[in-house]
Amino acid sequence: MSGLEYHSPEAAALTFRILSDGDLADLAALWEESWQETFPGIDFAARRNWFLGHMRALQSAGAVTVCAFDKEGHLQGFATVDPATSYLDQLAVAPAAKGKGTARALLGEARRLSPGSLVLDVNEDNARALAFYEKEGFKKTGEGVNPRSGLKTWRLQWVKAP
């Protein structure tokens, strides 16, 4: 599916494409910028190499990353989901695109890839993300700790209504 481009009815202003190797640098920059805004006390620039390796490992294991681009072709966000496990590993939106429907559209793409359910871990202190996922029908199913930051996390799950 690499390089496939399509438009989504959820966000008419966005174009979606499956991640290609040429997107990784922009993906890493967006990931860093988005997380740095969310948790300014953590040095995400120092984690860039980890992120790139993590994304390559996810792709090798069968995960799919959908990238959202605006009309000018600028990356606005991405979501990474493993359809075999329903695990949503990444959902990141550029700070300038937050509050404009990009996250909802990307979540729609994740649900398209894993239509029965989605599972994710979210930092307990990430109030914006928690409110978003709750609004989108996710329920808390467990607790944990992020091994990289030591921050407490919540396991959330969405299950398609029968």
Side-chain angles (χ1 to χ4, degrees):
M1 289 190 348
S2 181
L4 177 67
E5 187 173 303
Y6 56 98
H7 296 275
S8 170
E10 289 93 5
L14 295 173
T15 299
F16 295 87
R17 180 168 44 80
I18 302 301
L19 175 72
S20 67
D21 286 342
D23 297 322
L24 279 174
D26 288 341
L27 207 75
L30 185 146
W31 174 84
E32 180 184 328
E33 182 183 22
S34 178
W35 277 105
Q36 199 64 66
E37 178 191 57
T38 303
F39 290 105
I42 298 174
D43 182 3
F44 287 95
R47 296 179 178 195
R48 187 181 281 230
N49 286 337
W50 169 85
F51 173 75
L52 290 168
H54 181 65
M55 290 303 294
R56 287 184 187 106
L58 289 171
Q59 298 300 113
S60 294
V64 178
T65 298
V66 178
C67 301
F69 297 88
D70 65 14
K71 291 178 183 177
E72 289 79 37
H74 300 115
L75 182 64
Q76 298 300 299
F78 66 95
T80 303
V81 64
D82 184 337
T85 64
S86 301
Y87 191 75
L88 179 63
D89 190 89
Q90 299 286 321
L91 196 155
V93 174
K98 290 182 180 177
K100 297 181 180 178
T102 304
R104 180 169 286 116
L106 284 164
L107 186 57
E109 292 302 303
R111 286 177 168 150
R112 185 182 61 77
L113 292 166
S114 181
S117 70
L118 287 170
V119 177
L120 61 95
D121 293 296
V122 62
N123 286 308
E124 188 178 288
D125 294 336
N126 192 343
R128 184 179 186 139
L130 286 168
F132 169 74
Y133 289 121
E134 181 179 340
K135 185 176 179 181
E136 292 297 321
F138 283 77
K139 305 290 184 213
K140 181 180 171 185
T141 61
E143 298 179 10
V145 175
N146 182 310
R148 297 205 51 81
S149 67
L151 297 174
K152 291 182 180 180
T153 60
W154 285 356
R155 170 72 47 116
L156 303 179
Q157 183 176 27
W158 165 82
V159 178
K160 184 177 181 178

